[in-house]
Amino acid sequence: MKLDNKIILIALLALLTTKLYAEPVSGYEYIKPETRTMQDDDFSNPGLLAVDRGQELFNKKYETDKTCSDCHGKEGEMFNKKRLARYPMYRNRSNEIITLQKRIRNCQATITENPLQTDHPDLISLETFVRNRAHGEIVNIQTEGPVAEEIKEGEKLYTTRYGLIDMSCQHCHDFYPGQMIRGQKISQGQANGFPAYRLATGEMANLHLRIQQCMTLLRAEPFATDSKEIEQLGLYLMSRSNGLAIETPAVRY
Ligand code: HEC
Ligand code: HEC
């Protein structure tokens, strides 16, 4: 039997035995018990170092003598958690997906000549700190109106096959959650834990980096940083996580 037919057969079986459009389940439910313990313990969760680093940067004086905390509070306590849980959002005025990182950088650009490049480790630390302010808040991506078109594009990318492995995101994350692959349990590929600490790399990954890492796994050329595609796919993934609690910083393999 050709590999293609095998995949179709397995997918059909999966369809019959499980509900395809199951409720979202956090990656937390798929990790090992000891990894869950690590995530839950403030002393052993390595992601909290990024939160601390983010808070340091949040209180750092720029050349204009301003800090983020001037306007948002030392602990970021002036942020509206419900609003943070809506990122990435869509700005109708400019027809643009606004990721949390982009929002942070836009604010940064008002107080320094040198805002950080996308996915710079310091920007990921700031992103982790800000997102962590909304820990426990329910992901609430808006899906109505012009944003629906972007989400639909993201879904198309999610169901497209990539790379030498010639599989789509959907194959693993909708059809095979719970199955083992190279010693790891495949999850639904939810976005509620990001930015997350990865034990495999010893680094923080935000959602876009995690997408790129999965594309590399498929031996595909990952979508470029700042590309339309990575933003649409990230938006779609986060919209799939609507209803899940924000876990940032999650700990994942
Ligand atoms: C001079 C004041 C000021 C400074 C300094 C500032 N911000 Fe902001 N920030 C704002 C305002 C005003 C908004 C818009 C709030 C709104 O739309 O209600 C905002 C919005 C945001 C948002 C989006 C919040 C939301 O509810 O959608 C984030 C995240 C953010 N800022 C992060 C930062 C970070 C990180 C820094 C430092 C690099 C920073 N800001 C520096 C004034 C500031
Ligand atoms: C061959 C199977 C496979 C395919 C195809 C695949 N992934 Fe993954 N993905 C994994 C594995 C294994 C992990 C790590 C375990 C887990 O969390 O599922 C993972 C993790 C993730 C996570 C992190 C989930 C969490 O809770 O930490 C996201 C997000 C993700 N993948 C997105 C994608 C996207 C987007 C695509 C398509 C471009 C994709 N994956 C394609 C196997 C796959």
Side-chain angles (χ1 to χ4, degrees), residues 124-179:
I124 292 182
S125 294
L126 276 169
E127 182 188 358
T128 308
F129 169 75
V130 172
R131 186 81 174 166
N132 176 256
R133 302 303 90 188
H135 187 273
E137 198 61 48
I138 303 299
V139 175
N140 182 24
I141 298 300
Q142 305 303 293
T143 56
E144 306 279 308
V147 70
E149 205 46 52
E150 301 286 336
I151 293 178
K152 214 197 284 161
E153 290 300 316
E155 184 174 12
K156 266 189 220 155
L157 296 168
Y158 183 79
T159 52
T160 301
R161 290 165 181 267
Y162 300 102
L164 292 175
I165 308 286
D166 197 32
M167 283 170 89
S168 74
C169 319
Q170 186 183 37
H171 281 125
C172 281
H173 293 300
D174 284 355
F175 298 151
Y176 301 138
Q179 305 281 327

Side-chain angles (χ1 to χ4, degrees), residues 200-211:
T201 60
E203 285 174 1
M204 294 301 293
N206 65 2
L207 184 56
H208 287 187
L209 289 173
R210 191 64 185 89
I211 292 171

Side-chain angles (χ1 to χ4, degrees), residues 58 62 66-68 70-72 79-80 83-84 87 89 100 103-104 107-108 110-111 126 130:
F58 199 74
Y62 288 84
K66 291 216 173 73
T67 69
C68 311
D70 288 347
C71 300
H72 299 294
F79 282 125
N80 178 330
R83 286 254 303 263
L84 293 180
Y87 283 84
M89 54 168 72
L100 187 56
R103 189 68 187 84
I104 290 170
C107 243
Q108 201 177 37
T110 65
I111 55 175
L126 276 169
V130 172

